[in-house]
Amino acid sequence: PRVTKTTKAVMKPTRFVMDMSSAMDLDLKPEDFVEYVIEHFKTKAGMTAPKVTVERSTVVIDSEYSFAKKYVKYLAKRYLHSNDASEMFRVLSTDKASYEMRLYAEAEE
């Protein structure tokens, strides 16, 4: 028989930041993104959902458990798609722990 190992989630505090300053110009509100993240964030058994807060035009996602930074980008892209703004904005990494929603025209300049 095949033996499978069960892995527990690593308890390493994680903090990611999403800058939405350019998205606010076109009526995308950080508060709506916070609601979307809280509603759609999937957790494994025994994990608690992350705390999502708004600080001016940035959204901060704090979690007791580690998760991939790419998951934040995935949620942001899904949020843009649900608001029909995926063709206007792109999600770019600006730092090791942060992303920025930027207009395509700004990214080309």
Side-chain angles (χ1 to χ4, degrees), residues 1 5 10 16 18 21-22 26 33 45 48 53 71 75 79 86 88 91 100 102 108:
K5 293 183 179 180
V10 179
F16 293 112
M18 174 68 68
S21 55
S22 61
L26 296 174
F33 180 62
T48 57
T53 56
Y71 189 58
L75 288 172
Y79 169 74
S86 59
M88 292 184 286
V91 182
E100 176 184 4
R102 193 180 294 177
E108 293 173 1

Side-chain angles (χ1 to χ4, degrees), residues 11-58:
M11 270 193 89
K12 183 179 178 187
T14 317
R15 180 184 180 110
F16 293 112
V17 177
M18 174 68 68
D19 182 15
M20 296 183 66
S21 55
S22 61
M24 287 178 61
D25 298 338
L26 296 174
D27 296 331
L28 289 178
K29 299 176 184 161
E31 293 82 12
D32 295 338
F33 180 62
V34 167
E35 289 177 21
Y36 186 86
V37 169
I38 290 171
E39 183 178 326
H40 290 88
F41 197 92
K42 295 183 180 178
T43 58
K44 295 178 183 176
M47 291 176 56
T48 57
K51 295 175 185 168
V52 186
T53 56
V54 177
E55 297 174 2
R56 294 187 186 143
S57 64
T58 60

Side-chain angles (χ1 to χ4, degrees), residues 49-91:
K51 295 175 185 168
V52 186
T53 56
V54 177
E55 297 174 2
R56 294 187 186 143
S57 64
T58 60
V59 176
V60 180
I61 302 170
D62 285 318
S63 177
E64 297 174 0
Y65 299 94
S66 63
F67 62 92
K69 178 183 172 189
K70 195 170 190 175
Y71 189 58
V72 175
K73 183 174 183 175
Y74 168 77
L75 288 172
K77 289 173 94 175
R78 293 272 314 254
Y79 169 74
L80 289 173
H81 185 71
S82 69
N83 287 316
D84 298 325
S86 59
E87 294 181 5
M88 292 184 286
F89 291 99
R90 56 195 261 173
V91 182

